[in-house]
Amino acid sequence: MSTTLAVPVTIFFASIFTNNILLANYLGMCSFLSVSREIKTSVGLGIAVTFVMATTSLLNWLVYHYILIPLNLDYLRFIVFIMVIAAFVQIVEMIIERVSEGLYASLGIFLPLITVNCAILGVSLFMVIRDYDLLSSFLFGFGSGLGWFLAIMAMAGIRQKLKRAQIPRGLEGAGITLIITGMMALAFMGFAGILNIT
Amino acid sequence: MAANTKVKKVFSEALGSSNPVFAQILGICSTLAVTNKLENTFVMTLGVLFTTSLSSFTLSLIRKWISPRIRMMVETLVIATFVILVDISLRAYMPEIWRQLGPYVGLIITNCIIMGRAEAFALNNPPALSLIDGFASGLGYTYVLLIIAFFRELLGSGTIWGITVFGGWWNNWAIMIMPPGAFFMLAIFIWIVKGLWLEKEGSR
Amino acid sequence: MSVMKDRIYPVVFMAVITAICIALVSGVFLSTQELVIRNETLYLKRAVLYAAGIKVPENGPEAARVFDERVREVKTQAEQKSAVPETLYYEIVSLGGSIDGYVIETYGPGLWGEIGAVIGFHPDLRTMMGIDFIKQNETPGLGARITESWFKEQFRGKTGPFVMVEEGRSSKPNEVDAITGATRTSAFVLKIINGGSLEVEGLIERGGPHGS
């Protein structure tokens, strides 16, 4: 039946728009607030997050379903997931460092930031709680990464314009960013009607 | 005494000038996610309080043996262990709340406050002081969250701690329990606090 | 030599720490496991009582007692192959001994994952006694409002198959209020409920003649 493919695809688009990991689940705020000042760095971090999120959701799904569940160790999943993520990030950092100097300079610096990005761990935890299958999990991770990327890009663009605006002093920095994020969340809620699975 | 002033300094910084939430903007994820109900928020903050205190203490205890290369891994591991302990105890003793908090308990692991305190304080200070520092940071996080949750629950559901305060005449601001409300509420909070500071500085 | 030490020491250290952490976590987990399982069963029992329209006592053991008094679990029959008999449905018995209704546990897709519900039907298998949700991951503030009592209570005494109308507008016995802003979650729930009414018939047939 077509539903076998329809569900993962819907999850993919929903995780970008209607249930954006940042705007609807509040995950990944720390680096979002600190990095969104510049478009260029935002793009770098966005790509890195998308890549790590898609890959770790896949890895963690395999680890969870083929190692933790059969061994009845699913209560250890927090430790195992975060370790998989930390180890993966470390390996990627090492590979990038050896393979391409340019890529390392533009992307590598963001990698340590990623381990502590709660959105990455969040994706792995959500996929377990929601009982996703392998394909759904991967698309969920990938979509969430893209959604995060989209949000941070939009924010960086807006903040660039804001530099010339007069903002009440108390709201400068984090305050105004949060208000704009709130408005973006409202706008993204408007996407709610576009997805239909029946 | 020197130790005493140090403790005082730790507390006044964590609760005021370098409060993890509104001054350093750390741990925002959970600040926003769990604050739509006061009760959930309270339990969540207890979890964070427990984890920051004990992980700071533990990491400080073993700080001399941690080689710098695996520092991050060890920190994450220790923090994750305490978080699982919180998760398991919630599940056993407070199943209702455990159900509502869902994955956000696990996300205490990536709460930047805990990692931040471990990096900035616990690795360079003795265990007892680290314990106090972790506890103070947790407290700074706790009171900010409780204030935000208070207003979100009051305006969004017309209740405080699940008890109806506003009667039928009150039209719930559904937006307050949804994501945008969380962002606005935190922004307003930061605005007020920063505004007060700026005024103080100006009058000096 | 010192290079070797530099390389091996962190690995050994890490292994030791990991072992300690895992031992600690496992110990606590195993010691609370029984309590966790008890909580889970109690949670289900409460949901069944709620769906049957029976007042659920606050206190845990009390709720379990009421459950034992009013609810009879009907399991798959012994001659069937499955080693552990599964629960098919729950029979609600009145204090006089007659059957008041049936409660089933059923699952269906939701927007963000499975929605699990226990649904109670009167003996006509069409009129609902009530519903409770035991599992859902819907959007907080929108779809997750299915667990709010106004939404669950509106089903009591209504007869399906149901249709959705705008929040606050339902008037006919087969109309239910949808949740504003969570049209799809509402649709999924409706599908589960309408399906449940057919499911319960099949289950009772499978349960076979017993005790009536």
Side-chain angles (χ1 to χ4, degrees), chain C residues 166-200:
Chain C
E166 219 174 296
E167 191 170 326
R169 291 280 176 80
S170 64
S171 54
K172 300 198 188 91
N174 70 332
E175 283 178 354
V176 285
D177 288 346
I179 295 170
T180 307
T183 317
R184 277 165 305 144
T185 300
S186 309
F188 282 123
V189 167
L190 227 55
K191 211 172 165 190
I192 291 171
I193 294 173
N194 289 336
S197 159
L198 298 174
E199 198 182 333
V200 66

Side-chain angles (χ1 to χ4, degrees), chain A residues 19 75 130-132 192 195, chain C residues 26 29 112 135 137 184 188:
Chain A
N19 285 63
Y75 61 93
R130 292 171 182 165
D131 293 328
Y132 286 162
L195 295 172
Chain C
S26 305
F29 175 77
W112 280 106
K135 186 180 173 199
N137 299 298
R184 277 165 305 144
F188 282 123

Side-chain angles (χ1 to χ4, degrees), chain B residues 104-122:
Chain B
Y104 289 100
V105 179
L107 290 171
I108 295 177
I109 297 173
T110 45
N111 189 320
C112 335
I113 296 175
I114 304 175
M115 200 70 147
R117 285 337 282 170
E119 281 274 284
F121 200 92

Side-chain angles (χ1 to χ4, degrees), chain B:
Chain B
M1 253 183 72
N4 213 341
T5 49
K6 249 188 188 169
V7 170
K8 262 189 198 150
K9 195 174 151 243
V10 161
F11 268 98
S12 74
E13 274 182 3
L15 301 183
S17 62
S18 57
N19 179 284
V21 181
F22 59 76
Q24 300 179 40
I25 324 288
L26 292 178
I28 301 290
C29 314
S30 47
T31 309
L32 299 167
V34 298
T35 49
N36 52 12
K37 266 189 186 164
L38 205 50
E39 198 183 358
N40 294 355
T41 312
F42 183 67
V43 176
M44 181 77 175
T45 55
L46 285 187
V48 172
L49 214 54
F50 173 85
T51 319
T52 39
S53 318
L54 288 185
S55 61
S56 276
F57 177 76
T58 315
L59 285 167
S60 165
L61 211 57
I62 57 170
R63 70 183 189 280
K64 290 194 180 114
W65 296 286
I66 302 176
S67 68
R69 212 179 313 161
I70 51 163
R71 202 186 66 233
M72 287 281 264
M73 297 281 268
V74 175
E75 282 166 7
T76 325
L77 185 67
V78 169
I79 294 169
T81 306
F82 284 114
V83 172
I84 299 188
L85 293 184
V86 170
D87 186 63
I88 293 175
S89 0
L90 277 183
R91 196 172 177 183
Y93 300 105
M94 294 172 152
E96 285 298 306
I97 289 174
W98 177 79
R99 230 171 263 282
Q100 289 183 24
L101 289 176
Y104 289 100
V105 179
L107 290 171
I108 295 177
I109 297 173
T110 45
N111 189 320
C112 335
I113 296 175
I114 304 175
M115 200 70 147
R117 285 337 282 170
E119 281 274 284
F121 200 92
L123 290 180
N124 311 309
N125 283 288
L129 202 56
S130 300
L131 179 75
I132 292 170
D133 176 73
F135 184 75
S137 297
L139 221 54
Y141 170 84
T142 300
Y143 87 90
V144 175
L145 249 73
L146 288 178
I147 292 173
I148 292 176
F150 176 83
F151 285 107
R152 281 185 74 191
E153 188 180 339
L154 184 66
L155 300 176
S157 322
T159 58
I160 295 174
W161 204 280
I163 299 159
T164 312
V165 199
F166 293 156
W169 54 272
W170 176 254
N171 223 334
N172 289 342
W173 300 7
I175 193 81
M176 286 314 278
I177 41 177
M178 287 193 267
F183 292 117
F184 293 143
M185 198 64 224
L186 182 62
I188 291 169
F189 187 84
I190 291 177
W191 190 5
I192 293 171
V193 173
K194 265 198 170 172
L196 289 177
W197 277 352
L198 291 171
E199 211 165 86
K200 229 189 195 168
E201 272 170 24
S203 68
R204 240 179 233 165

